[in-house]
Amino acid sequence: YEVRDLPEGHWESFEFALKQMKNLTMEEGQAIYGPIFKNQIYMVAFHIFATDSVRGEQAHFGAHFLPFHTALTAMYETIVLTITRYHNLPLESTPYWWPFKDTDQRDILGPEYFGTHPGLGENFEVIDGAFANWTVPSF
């Protein structure tokens, strides 16, 4: 489903799963969901290390962009669905965003979904929406 077309309860299920990935350590998450679980720090690091590898940039600027990001998206979806199924939450797949859909003028980069872009905080950080005030560790 496109984000704005999700059935009742599906956005909340998606949000819950992402917050589990954000808030649980690897050990805590794997104790609950099994070895498939990876937390948000792991996923961010996975992306960063692919872009800053001693073997060269492996995630962008070439033919490897699409396969790398397809694999990253598949990893996220597997983890998200593992979490939602464990809790018997409604979600059939991770939602996608179709940026050219404007039938109802609701912007997913606003307070109803991911948070306002650019962020409304003092340093343009996101301070509203489902993922307000998330911090990202430095590596």
Side-chain angles (χ1 to χ4, degrees):
Y1 291 97
E2 203 273 344
V3 171
R4 293 161 286 186
D5 293 333
L6 284 167
E8 180 92 22
H10 286 224
W11 170 256
E12 293 77 11
S13 298
F14 180 63
E15 181 182 337
F16 173 81
L18 291 183
K19 287 180 176 178
Q20 289 291 91
M21 291 176 69
K22 171 73 172 165
N23 294 325
L24 296 175
T25 66
M26 289 283 284
E27 294 77 22
E28 292 168 337
Q30 290 182 352
I32 298 168
Y33 304 114
I36 197 72
F37 178 86
K38 305 291 184 269
N39 66 11
Q40 187 65 22
I41 292 172
Y42 177 95
M43 298 301 285
V44 169
F46 184 83
H47 188 269
I48 288 172
F49 296 144
T51 62
D52 191 23
S53 171
V54 295
R55 297 171 292 195
E57 214 294 347
Q58 299 179 62
H60 305 105
F61 313 119
H64 47 277
F65 178 88
L66 191 56
F68 175 82
H69 287 86
T70 299
L72 185 67
T73 301
M75 288 173 65
Y76 263 104
E77 182 166 54
T78 300
I79 298 162
V80 164
L81 293 179
T82 297
I83 293 168
T84 58
R85 288 177 181 152
Y86 179 88
H87 294 282
N88 294 315
L89 298 173
L91 192 66
E92 298 164 18
S93 63
T94 55
Y96 67 91
W97 173 35
W98 182 246
F100 306 108
K101 175 186 169 95
D102 61 356
T103 58
D104 58 12
Q105 301 299 317
R106 289 185 297 156
D107 189 351
I108 73 160
L109 299 179
E112 188 174 352
Y113 295 106
F114 290 98
T116 302
H117 172 77
L120 301 174
E122 182 178 323
N123 295 303
F124 304 104
E125 63 270 26
V126 175
I127 60 171
D128 62 0
F131 310 107
N133 303 308
W134 277 31
T135 58
V136 178
S138 58
F139 290 91

